[in-house]
Each structure stands twice: as C-alpha cells, then as structure tokens.
Amino acid sequence: MCFLRAVPEFGSRLRELRRAAGLTMEQLAEASGVSARAISDMERGHSRAPQARTLAALATGLGLDPGQLGDLEDVARRRRAHSAGRPRLCEPPRAISDFVGRADELDRMRRHALAGLGPAPVAVVHGQPGLGKTALAVRLADQLRDRYPDGRFYLDLRGTDAEPMSAGDALVRLLRALEVGPRRIAETDDERSSQLRAVLRERRCLLVLDNAGSEAQVRPLLPSEGESLAVVTSRRVLGGLAGVERIALAPLAPHESAALLRAIAVQAADPRAAAGVEAVARLCGHLPLALRIAGTRLATRPAWTVEHLVARLADADRRLATLTTGDIGVATAFALSHAQLSKPARELFRRLAHVPGVDFAATLAAVLTGGHPDDTADGLDELVDLGLLQQSGPDRYRFHDLIRLFAEERLRIEEPAGTRAATAKKMSDWLLETAIVAGRWFEPGYGRLPDGWGGPVALGTAEEADTWLQAERANWLGAMRSAARGGQYQLVVDVAEAMHWYSDKYVRADYWYEVYGMSRAAAARLPDRRQEATHLNYFSWAATHCARRPGEGAEIAMDAYRIAAGLGDLKEQSWALRYAGDAWRHGGMPERALDAYRRATELADRAGDHDGYIQLRPGIARALIALGRHEEAIEECAATLRDIETRPVAARPELSARVSAHGIAAESLAESGRWAEALREAERAMPYAVEFGYPGYLGELHLTIGRARMALGLRDAARPALRKAVELLDDLPHQRWRQLARQGLAALGETA
C-alpha cells in the first residue's frame, strides 16, 4: 500500500466539497488560484495536506462557511500529523542563527523571485570557496518559506567531488521529494526532466541546488514555467546557463566580518577587543568560512583572548592550519577546487605564488610557466572558473589572501627548492628588464624602444610604457627587492636609473623613497663611486619630495656633493646642490636654497649639462617667490624660456622647464595682482602641464586660472577651474594651494 494513501480523508473530503459546489478541477483552480494539477494530486492522495495559505485559497474558491473550513482544517491537521513521521527527502539544512551581511544579495534574489514575468526564476550564486554560498541560499529559503507553500527542497549536487551526483540521480531525488511515486517516475533522464518541469509548473516550490559542478548537471533540474524558484550555488560561474540572475559573492565588508566574530565568540564582543577583532577579520581575508572557524576556535577556548588568536593567525606559514576546526578547514575547502584542476592549471596556480604584488597581468603568468600565451589564458580562465583566482580587470588577476597562502603551500610541496628559485629569478629578471625599457621612454638619451626589442608587453609609446609601469608597480618593485637581496646590485642601479626622469611624473609618490634607497645602497656596493654620488642625489630628491623629510634630504645631498667633489665631477656636484636647495626651500630656508641653486647653475653651465641647467632656473624662481621677490621671479622664468630656445635641451627636461616657467610666472603675476597677465600665462602653460601629466602642476594652474577669473569678475568661469584645483590637489601636500582653492569656492557659495 502507498504510504500517502494510508490516510485518504483529506483528498476525499476535498473532492466531496468540490463536487458539492458544482465545480470541476479547472473551475476550482481558476477560482482559488491553486493549480489544477495540485488539486488533482491532493484529491488522489499524491501530496501532503496543504499549508494554511493554500487551504485558505481553496476555501475561498469553494465558498466554504467557517464551519466547513474548520472541518477541512481538522482533516488537514490529521493528514499532516499522520505523515509527520515519514522521512522527508531534500529537507533544507539548519539555517545559521548568526547569519551576517549579504543584505543586497538577498534583496536581489527576493526581487528576482517576485518579478513574475517570463520563465520561472533561477538565481546562480557563485564565487570562491568559503564565501558562504550555501548559507546564503538556505537563508533565502528560510525567509521565503511562506511564499512557497508547496515546499522548499535542498539537494547537494556534490559538484566538487571526484564523482559529482549525476543529473539522473538528482532528478529521481527531487521527484521523490515532490511525492511522485516510484512507479510514476519516468524511465529516461530526458523524460524525468520533463516530468520535473511539469510538476514544478503546477506548484510553488523553492529548490536549493547546492554545489553544482557544471551546467550539464544542473540544467535538467531547473523549472521552466510557473512560480517555483531555483537557487543554484556553485564555485563556477556556470556561464552556459542562460536567462538566470547571477549573484557573484565577495568577501564580507570589514564591519560585517567584525559583527560575525562578535556573534560567535564572547571575547570578540568585548569593546576593548575592537582592534584585535579588526586584525582577526583582516587576517581571515573577510572570508566567512575563515571567520566562522576563527570565531569558533575562540569561543571553544575561554582562556584565549582575541590577541592570542591574532598572534596565531599572524604566522603566515601556520595560518591555514590555524583556520581548521573539527572536520572543516579553509585549506580543505580550497583543496576540493584544486583537485579539479588540469595538470597545466595546477602548475600555473602554484607558480603564481611567486608574484610579489597584489595583482598581475596574463603576460606575467606566461613568464612563470614559459608556456604559450593562449595556453596561459586557458589556465587563468580555469582558475577563475573554479574560484581559485579573481579577475580584477580586463586582463588582470589576483588571489584572495588565503588562497595565495594555499598556492604557496602547494608550491613548497610540489616543486623542489632549485626549481622554485630558478622560476622566481626568471620572473624578477623579466620584470626588471621590462621596467628598464619602459622607464627609458622618459630619459633624455632614450625616448624610444631599443632596437630589436620584442617583449610580450606593448611598450610602443611613452603612454603604453607609463600604463605598464603603473599597473605592474608592485611587481617590479617586489622584483627590485628580490634583486637587492640576491646581490644583483648593478641591476638594481640600472632600474632606478631608468626611472629617474619618469619619477618626475609622479613626484609625490612615496614608493620612490624605497626605490632610491635601494639603489643608493646597491651603488655603494659597486666600485663606481660616480654611481654612488648619482644615486645619493636621487635618494635626496626622494627624501625631500616623496617622503617629505627635507632635513634628511639636505644631509643626503651634501654627502653626494662631497663624493662628487672628491671625484671632480662638476655635473653631480651641480645636481647635489640642486637637491640640497630643494630640501632647504621645502624646509623653510629660501635664502640658503637660492644660494645653492645659483652655485648649482654655475657648475651645470661649466659641465655642459644643459638638461640640468634648464631644470635649475625654475628652482631659483621658486626661491625668489618664497622671499617675496616676485618681479625677479618673473624675470627668471622669462630667462628660462629664452634659454630653452638657445640650449640643446632634451625633450623631457624641456617640457618640465616650460611648464614650470609658465606656471611659476603665472603664480608670481597673481601674487602681484596682475590678474590678466597671470591668466594668460597659466592658460599658456596648461597644454604643457597636460602633456607632462603631474597633478601638482595641473592643480596649481587650475588654481591660478580660477583665482584670476574671480579677480577679473568672471565668476561662472572661475567655478570649474577651482573645483578642478581642489580635486587635483586633494592628495598632494600643497596645503596653501588647497586652502586658496577652497576659499575661492567658498566665495562662490560652494563647499569643497
């Protein structure tokens, strides 16, 4: 006897009431909103007694009075009580009581479920291991329980297993859970899929298809029409599924991570532990699985403090081991995806651990494996598809912090030390050689690609070189550190030398202090003392302009001067005095700076260093402005522009001198109240500043243009210039200029 027919009273009673009302199944379906198929199943005992919402709809369609409705509810309760002991298939797992975050994702899925247009809604929740995809799907199912009175069903498709569940097995399980009798289940997978769609079309169910391995596995399980909802979770994007709502999960926000830790462990809820909680969240990479494990370890060890846990997690070599509790672990979750990789993708995965920066381009990945770029692209796609790598741009990729640690672990296990060292050196050498080629686009003596160069990176213009240097900065800088540690001193010096003129484009960037600190130290290990003087000068520039330590910058410059004087090198003596002058001017000693600049100019002239000479004249003008000698500053700028026309100056130094001369002259004219002249001079400088690209020059010029237009009564024209000045100067240390720009906007009734 079929179990579901053991208590037929509800079906019989419903049939009697329908017939007494003179209604066919189709008429009752139209009157109640409950499908004819569902009514048929209930009358024949093929489904459980309906929930309250469905029962109320049937009562309305039948026109039952309160007494009749009460009788029907009693029968339904007896029916449910009788079937309560029967094991229910595909029951959703227990929801997490301390679920945190994901409000936007839940809202998107709710709206998708309620859209009511087109085919039955399907949402695909995808992302790397440990993001809480299952927890999110179960949370949604719990929140929408009233909307799906015909049942919420959960099925783990075991997509990360060596043998995932077949679509045929999944279909049988779902049909049985939907109370289709074993004898009524179709013979073939295609027929079962059609049968499942037919059942779901007539009911309002929610399916959670967890841990899907492929489109082929999950496609036969999806509803086609009706009001049922399917939520699919997968580490893969499942891009072959059309017409679905894709929810890409990311790590939690910092405040959500902290909230989750506080919900799990009482130690984390102590306000005094806030800094430690923040550190734990950061070390867990804001990954929900890692946070839950960390919180559980803390909660089950009352003697531990949050600081104790921080200390454990701070050891990168032991972090993955620490993030394990019971039978779950972060590394275990990653390993399931790693096991699905092809052999070439496994090699690529572990070798990407060599990359020193946060992200990288596909060309760098190809260098690590030595493979064809197309094969590397396929490997990267495979890693992204399995959630082991994230795409951070059109051609850029990055690891989650914990997955990087897992890749490093696989690298140590799977490759011998000699192979690791050779691969790392090959990568570093390639990065530094490419950086030298890119940087030399900005050097006066180069400004082009070397003859015969055929690297894989597009460096055919200065703009392409700049783009590569900025995108890969963390990587070539990391390679410089590696070369310095490995004793490749001349290579370190060569890279820094290639960056000398390029660094002017990003004069306020703090990383130049490290670059020239390394090159200064490397040059001191080489026999050429002229290189040492040169790189001491560069380091002085970085200390003054980038690290904003003018006192240190002056001391370093004078060390360089002493070495250059001992060598009789007039050019490096000139540069040393120029950098000392910069340091003294920034340190509030303009008179001393002016003297240093003038001595440096004489030495540069004697040495025939026209590029250095032309760079010094604007420094003299800056010092004169600081001394309030504006007319002299204006004349110095005019002399600079005349010298450009008579001296053989290289393109980049010429561009720098032109924008500086025009800009400083405009500032002096503005300070003298000669607003119309200041406006003309600033507008004349603007094209040069745009070409040069340094935000400080552009910000200063927009400020002068805005102030001049204000003074000339052109208030509407002044507004956009002042806004741009505030935007450009916001991250730069030009406090006085920022203040002037904000004051100008305030006078126009705006706040910056």
Side-chain angles (χ1 to χ4, degrees):
M1 180 186 298
C2 176
F3 179 88
L4 290 173
R5 293 185 181 275
V7 183
E9 293 90 348
F10 178 80
S12 299
R13 182 62 176 148
L14 177 61
R15 186 184 301 110
E16 291 171 3
L17 291 169
R18 175 176 61 78
R19 289 174 175 173
L23 298 174
T24 65
M25 287 187 189
E26 289 73 18
Q27 289 170 331
L28 177 56
E30 184 176 352
S32 66
V34 178
S35 70
R37 177 62 177 269
I39 294 170
S40 174
D41 284 349
M42 283 185 267
E43 289 189 0
R44 290 182 295 159
H46 289 165
S47 65
R48 293 181 175 87
Q51 300 297 317
R53 180 173 175 175
T54 303
L55 198 60
L58 290 170
T60 300
L62 291 167
L64 301 183
D65 60 39
Q68 290 173 309
L69 174 58
D71 290 343
L72 191 60
E73 287 175 337
D74 288 341
V75 176
R77 275 194 293 272
R78 289 198 301 273
R79 175 75 168 84
R80 283 194 290 269
H82 186 86
S83 61
R86 178 176 181 263
R88 296 188 61 179
L89 298 176
C90 300
E91 277 288 290
R94 177 173 175 268
I96 297 172
S97 60
D98 50 17
F99 187 91
V100 169
R102 307 300 191 202
D104 290 343
E105 291 87 348
L106 285 166
D107 184 58
R108 277 183 62 189
M109 288 193 286
R110 280 193 297 266
R111 284 188 280 110
H112 183 59
L114 298 172
L117 299 174
V122 176
V124 174
V125 181
H126 63 92
Q128 70 181 59
L131 284 171
K133 300 179 289 293
T134 301
L136 176 66
V138 172
R139 177 76 166 184
L140 179 73
D142 192 54
Q143 290 183 345
L144 297 182
R145 63 170 60 245
D146 291 340
R147 175 168 174 77
Y148 296 98
D150 294 323
R152 298 166 301 127
F153 304 96
Y154 170 89
L155 188 60
D156 183 357
L157 298 175
R158 303 197 308 271
T160 55
D161 287 8
E163 294 186 15
M165 181 183 292
S166 68
D169 286 348
L171 285 164
V172 169
R173 287 171 182 260
L174 287 172
L175 288 168
R176 289 181 61 200
L178 287 162
E179 300 182 336
V180 177
R183 295 180 182 178
R184 295 174 56 227
I185 294 177
E187 293 295 324
T188 70
D189 288 351
D190 286 345
E191 291 172 341
R192 291 168 184 163
S193 179
S194 177
Q195 190 175 21
L196 177 65
R197 290 194 296 273
V199 171
L200 292 175
R201 184 173 58 246
E202 301 299 331
R203 303 188 193 182
R204 190 180 291 175
C205 302
L206 190 154
L207 307 184
V208 175
L209 304 174
D210 194 27
N211 194 16
S214 67
E215 294 90 339
Q217 182 192 34
V218 78
R219 191 179 285 116
L221 314 179
L222 301 179
S224 58
E225 299 175 358
E227 297 184 73
S228 290
L229 167 68
V231 179
V232 182
T233 77
S234 179
R235 299 183 181 193
R236 299 179 183 270
V237 177
L238 301 182
L241 296 180
V244 303
E245 179 80 357
R246 281 194 170 77
I247 310 291
L249 288 195
L252 295 176
H255 71 278
E256 293 172 336
S257 298
L260 179 54
L261 288 168
R262 293 186 185 108
I264 297 171
V266 66
Q267 300 98 310
D270 188 339
R272 294 170 296 180
V277 169
E278 182 181 332
V280 170
R282 184 177 64 254
L283 291 167
C284 288
H286 304 287
L287 195 68
L289 175 61
L291 291 162
R292 189 164 292 283
I293 292 172
T296 300
R297 294 204 72 181
L298 194 59
T300 55
R301 292 163 176 79
W304 278 20
T305 64
V306 174
E307 288 70 24
H308 190 126
L309 181 59
V310 170
R312 292 267 183 135
L313 293 171
D315 182 353
D317 291 338
R318 294 285 303 159
R319 191 174 306 157
L320 292 179
T322 301
L323 291 173
T324 302
T325 185
D327 60 348
I328 61 172
V330 170
T332 303
F334 297 159
L336 291 172
S337 289
H338 182 262
Q340 294 185 297
L341 295 174
S342 64
K343 185 177 179 180
R346 287 189 187 188
E347 178 188 64
L348 176 60
F349 175 73
R350 64 179 179 261
R351 290 193 173 183
L352 286 172
H354 285 298
V355 176
V358 172
D359 65 353
F360 56 89
T363 47
L364 182 54
V367 170
L368 285 165
T369 61
H372 190 278
D374 290 344
D375 294 334
T376 303
D378 291 343
L380 291 169
D381 286 344
E382 190 175 343
L383 294 175
V384 170
D385 195 38
L386 277 165
L388 292 173
L389 200 63
Q390 302 167 27
Q391 196 150 11
S392 57
D395 186 41
R396 297 202 70 78
Y397 303 85
R398 65 185 298 160
F399 277 128
H400 182 275
D401 291 348
L402 295 179
I403 294 181
R404 174 187 281 276
L405 293 178
F406 181 71
E408 291 173 357
E409 184 178 277
R410 300 316 308 168
L411 182 65
R412 289 192 297 270
I413 293 170
E414 297 174 18
E415 293 194 3
T419 302
R420 297 199 302 267
T423 303
K425 186 175 185 303
K426 180 176 72 171
M427 176 196 67
S428 293
D429 287 350
W430 179 83
L431 281 166
L432 297 182
E433 288 163 7
T434 307
I436 289 171
V437 171
R440 283 179 172 169
W441 263 106
F442 302 87
E443 283 193 49
Y446 290 84
R448 60 182 174 82
L449 280 176
D451 295 337
W453 189 81
V457 179
L459 298 177
T461 65
E463 289 73 20
E464 288 179 342
D466 179 24
T467 297
W468 186 87
L469 285 168
Q470 287 302 301
E472 299 293 348
R473 182 177 71 239
N475 291 322
W476 62 255
L477 187 53
M480 269 192 87
R481 297 185 192 111
S482 178
R485 288 193 302 269
Q488 295 177 276
Y489 302 125
Q490 190 59 57
L491 181 56
V492 171
V493 168
D494 289 346
V495 173
E497 185 65 51
M499 299 293 168
H500 174 217
W501 290 95
Y502 174 69
S503 61
D504 280 342
K505 187 175 174 68
Y506 300 97
V507 65
R508 297 297 178 183
D510 57 5
Y511 51 85
W512 296 122
Y513 184 79
E514 181 182 4
V515 168
Y516 290 112
M518 284 191 286
S519 70
R520 181 275 306 265
R525 305 290 293 270
L526 297 169
D528 185 351
R529 296 216 74 199
R530 184 184 179 280
Q531 281 194 137
E532 183 180 1
T534 298
H535 286 268
L536 275 168
N537 275 329
Y538 296 162
F539 189 42
S540 168
W541 169 85
T544 297
H545 293 279
C546 307
R548 301 174 185 102
R549 302 175 186 173
E552 181 184 353
E555 291 179 8
I556 296 168
M558 295 315 295
D559 286 343
Y561 179 80
R562 283 185 285 272
I563 293 174
L567 296 170
D569 189 325
L570 297 180
K571 179 179 177 181
E572 287 306 320
Q573 289 178 66
S574 172
W575 279 101
L577 289 174
R578 179 259 172 91
Y579 291 130
D582 286 350
W584 287 323
R585 178 167 59 83
H586 282 276
M589 294 180 279
E591 195 73 58
R592 192 173 183 182
L594 183 60
D595 178 63
Y597 287 142
R598 284 178 169 158
R599 288 168 57 200
T601 303
E602 294 172 6
L603 289 167
D605 199 23
R606 287 166 55 193
D609 180 12
H610 301 290
D611 294 339
Y613 177 91
I614 211 69
Q615 292 274 299
L616 280 158
R617 302 297 292 269
I620 293 173
R622 290 278 189 202
L624 289 168
I625 288 178
L627 292 165
R629 294 154 63 176
H630 298 295
E631 290 302 321
E632 292 178 66
I634 294 167
E635 176 51 38
E636 191 67 34
C637 292
T640 302
L641 295 170
R642 289 193 297 271
D643 282 339
I644 288 173
E645 303 302 328
T646 59
R647 289 176 179 264
V649 184
R652 188 72 180 172
E654 176 188 338
L655 181 61
S656 175
R658 280 191 186 278
V659 68
S660 295
H662 284 300
I664 294 167
E667 183 184 354
S668 292
L669 289 164
E671 293 300 319
S672 302
R674 295 159 63 178
W675 294 108
E677 295 172 81
L679 181 59
R680 284 196 299 272
E681 202 69 22
E683 289 175 338
R684 198 173 294 143
M686 188 60 75
Y688 301 121
V690 170
E691 183 180 353
F692 194 86
Y694 171 50
Y697 288 157
L698 290 165
E700 178 186 8
L701 290 172
H702 279 291
L703 171 62
T704 301
I705 289 170
R707 293 178 67 206
R709 287 174 178 171
M710 282 273 290
L712 295 169
L714 306 172
R715 294 172 62 87
D716 289 341
R719 198 183 305 274
L722 291 171
R723 286 177 188 155
K724 192 66 177 176
V726 170
E727 175 190 333
L728 289 165
L729 297 170
D730 192 49
D731 292 329
L732 298 173
H734 302 298
Q735 184 174 350
R736 177 174 174 273
W737 292 350
R738 286 201 305 272
Q739 186 177 2
L740 287 171
R742 288 191 172 93
Q743 287 174 351
L745 283 177
L748 293 171
E750 288 192 25
T751 56

